[in-house]
Amino acid sequence: MHTYSKGDKIFAKVNSLTSIETELPFSYYSLPYCRPDGGIKKSAENLGELLMGDHIDNSPYRFRMNVNETVYLCTTKPLNENEVKLLKQRTRDLYQVNMILDNLPAMRYATQNGVKIQWTGYPVGYTPPNSNDDYIINHLKFTVLIHEYEGSGVEIIGTGEEGMGVISEADKKKASGYEIVGFVVNPCSIKYDPEVMKKHNMYDNITAVSCPQELDKSQIIREQERVSFTYEVEFVKSNIRWPSRWDAYLKMEGARVHWFSILNSLMVIFFLAGIVFVIFLRTVRRDLTRYEELDKEAQAQMNEELSGWKLVVGDVFREPENSKLLCVMVGDGVQITGMAVVTIVFAAFGFMSPASRGMLLTGMIILYLFLGIIAGYVAVRLWRTIKGSSEGWRSVSWLVSCFFPGIVFVILTVLNFILWGNNSTGAIPISLYFVLLALWFCISVPLTLLGGFLGTRAEAIQYPVRTNQIPREIPARKYPSWLLVLGAGTLPFGTLFIELFFILSSIWLGRFYYVFGFLLIVLSLLVIVCAEVSVVLTYMHLCVEDWRWWWKAFFASGSVSLYVFLYSINYLVFDLQSLSGPVSAILYLGYSLIMAVAIMLSTGTIGFLMSFYFVHYLFSSVKID
């Protein structure tokens, strides 16, 4: 928490220029804007900020607490051909300038079709309808909302960038000051006479100006034009308190739709899952009860006339094809699921503040690294169960530590070359590449190997029945079983797609996403539905004497990722129509592919582990000689 006295100097910071049309961030100082007196200084950025393409620099915009003023900044040199081309391109691509004051992003209110909407940032310029001319935004009207803070016998110490403050007992002196609780910008374009403006020095006070409505009084973007930059600031006292200052940013658009649609999803899915589970429980229990009620002689006779799942008793635990890959994918799935659950729980309880930029992503990466120990343990224990020995556990552990991170690394490298080619600040710096590689090979890999070693020491899961030497022939089917597996993904997708829309909107349309409580409910529901769908499909396959259930159990719930990816393409085509150019589409599809792979591994693992437990329980409940 920062408190300021009257007249204290506060400098705004600037983040990367962003656009919902291109999704390529660029540095603020790539355009001919005024530069601060002491030169450009970068703010310290965490891992998450760097990966998200945040590029926070200092700016010349200086405010004096509770002093209303209109200030001159600078006049540019005559614009050259390259600068004009760049300014026009950034204006046409709807680039926004993102400014930050006391860790609050600048907010702009606009009226569109009679509806008041809010945006973060302000445009580089604008192009009037039916015109080929572009105009630059060179005058900013800032409204800074302040709350007068009065303390009695307390003093604020340890104020930090992330809005964390420590209040300690002080002398009996009364401490008071102002807190910044809102930051609103109203941009406009004004044509100044450069010869008159040049006589001023930076931060000279000038007479207040009003935004012109006529285009001939606005600053056009063309060669040899000299642009003068000015701003005015007004401090307005507000009743908003420090803890509530982010509320204005976190209001989700269409909140009512959000609530009702998720509630509808919950009801439908609970209803479907309930029906599925009741039918299934009755079927299995009836089979087992009927079997256990018979005497030994009748059981022996029944064994000769067995049908359905009891016929595959000698094959149900036969080693699946590509068993090593299955173990690796299950290990990675456990790691991703653990990371998602812990992150969302922490965020739902308010530990991941939006004021702490990039903390969500940083937290996810650190969690993923340390959960490698669990991934290695699960994968190697499953490997031992399938193979009956620990031989080859090192290669399983290595593959677990390299499979999913390897896929992400390859996709990010391809996307990074595209970003580098476009000189975007979204490109990961070479130094960060080495940091990520160091984290991967110095923390994740050793922990996964340690987890694998612990897995060799754990007791292997014992199968309740013996496997026959010769595999049983699987009866011919009227339709391919994979069709059923692909269709099964629609049920988990039904729980997910509403929330997916809001998440995609927050990522690609620059909105804040902060309804983690709902996301936690949806995640819990997704886990339940994935488990149920996979178990039901496994049971259906066993009933038609198909004992190859391992991979089908994995993909029954994992196939939801196919629908997620197809929905992402649908979102790109119908909701992101503003996205322009193949570069933006490739970036979007690349990140969507990473998300789909992570969802496949996570949901597939949930389904597989539940099915494994079910099959083990089912065949240990009935004694077949």
Side-chain angles (χ1 to χ4, degrees), residues 252-265 498-503 513-519 522:
M252 290 287 289
E253 296 297 318
R256 191 172 292 179
V257 178
H258 191 73
W259 284 82
F260 280 121
S261 58
I262 289 179
L263 199 62
N264 178 53
S265 267
I498 298 287
E499 207 57 38
L500 193 62
F501 172 79
F502 285 100
I503 292 169
Y513 181 87
Y514 222 67
V515 283
F516 288 108
F518 266 124
L519 191 57
V522 170

Side-chain angles (χ1 to χ4, degrees), residues 60-72:
Y61 289 91
R62 183 207 70 184
F63 306 139
R64 290 183 293 170
M65 176 51 75
N66 215 11
V67 176
N68 298 343
E69 56 188 348
T70 305
V71 178
Y72 166 78

Side-chain angles (χ1 to χ4, degrees), residues 107 173 218 321 426 441 475 527:
M107 188 183 278
K173 291 185 294 182
S218 300
E321 293 176 359
F441 287 103
V527 169

Side-chain angles (χ1 to χ4, degrees), residues 108-221:
R108 173 171 60 99
Y109 292 99
T111 306
Q112 203 169 322
N113 302 329
V115 179
K116 193 178 182 185
I117 54 171
Q118 62 184 49
W119 295 93
T120 50
Y122 63 89
V124 167
Y126 64 91
T127 309
N130 309 318
S131 169
N132 286 324
D133 291 328
D134 302 288
Y135 296 85
I136 189 171
I137 298 295
N138 63 335
H139 179 75
L140 302 172
K141 288 187 169 186
F142 294 107
T143 304
V144 181
L145 303 180
I146 53 172
H147 180 79
E148 193 161 4
Y149 173 85
E150 286 191 3
S152 183
V154 294
E155 181 185 57
I156 308 298
I157 61 163
T159 56
E161 184 70 33
E162 306 307 340
M164 305 296 278
V166 183
I167 297 181
S168 71
E169 286 297 324
D171 307 333
K172 292 191 178 179
K173 291 185 294 182
K174 187 175 181 182
S176 66
Y178 299 100
E179 303 160 347
I180 295 172
V181 291
F183 184 37
V184 180
V185 62
N186 182 20
C188 63
S189 181
I190 301 174
K191 183 164 180 59
Y192 291 109
D193 182 346
E195 296 305 319
V196 173
M197 300 306 284
K198 232 170 56 172
K199 294 172 185 171
H200 293 292
N201 294 317
M202 189 182 267
Y203 303 128
D204 278 359
N205 282 30
I206 56 171
T207 51
V209 284
S210 56
C211 293
Q213 300 298 318
E214 305 87 4
L215 288 177
D216 57 340
K217 292 182 181 176
S218 300
Q219 180 60 58
I220 196 167
I221 301 172

Side-chain angles (χ1 to χ4, degrees), residues 212-246:
Q213 300 298 318
E214 305 87 4
L215 288 177
D216 57 340
K217 292 182 181 176
S218 300
Q219 180 60 58
I220 196 167
I221 301 172
R222 67 176 168 216
E223 282 185 57
Q224 299 308 310
E225 282 286 321
R226 303 184 69 170
V227 182
S228 296
F229 288 91
T230 56
Y231 66 95
E232 62 184 277
V233 58
E234 182 188 6
F235 288 86
V236 177
K237 289 191 178 176
S238 166
N239 291 325
I240 299 168
R241 291 185 170 272
W242 176 273
S244 310
R245 70 182 196 148
W246 275 90

Side-chain angles (χ1 to χ4, degrees), residues 523-579:
L523 182 73
S524 311
L525 206 59
L526 184 68
V527 169
I528 295 165
V529 174
C530 283
E532 287 176 352
V533 161
S534 202
V535 164
V536 170
L537 241 81
T538 301
Y539 181 69
M540 286 170 70
H541 280 115
L542 294 178
C543 281
V544 293
E545 300 172 36
D546 185 352
W547 46 264
R548 291 177 304 189
W549 60 272
W550 303 75
W551 280 107
K552 286 163 188 169
F554 187 92
F555 284 113
S557 51
S559 62
V560 67
S561 62
L562 176 67
Y563 298 101
V564 167
F565 190 67
L566 290 174
Y567 182 78
S568 300
I569 294 171
N570 169 76
Y571 185 83
L572 171 67
V573 175
F574 295 105
D575 293 281
L576 278 184
Q577 290 164 335
S578 61
L579 208 63

Side-chain angles (χ1 to χ4, degrees), residues 273-287:
I275 292 173
V276 161
F277 216 59
V278 166
I279 292 170
F280 158 72
L281 274 175
R282 283 181 62 187
T283 310
V284 176
R285 194 153 287 180
R286 189 186 61 211
D287 272 5

Side-chain angles (χ1 to χ4, degrees), residues 21 50 55 96 133 151 168 270 341 365 434 438 485 532 540 550 574:
E21 286 228 342
L50 290 167
H55 198 87
Q96 302 282 315
D133 291 328
S168 71
F270 267 131
V341 169
I365 291 168
F434 286 113
V485 168
E532 287 176 352
M540 286 170 70
W550 303 75
F574 295 105

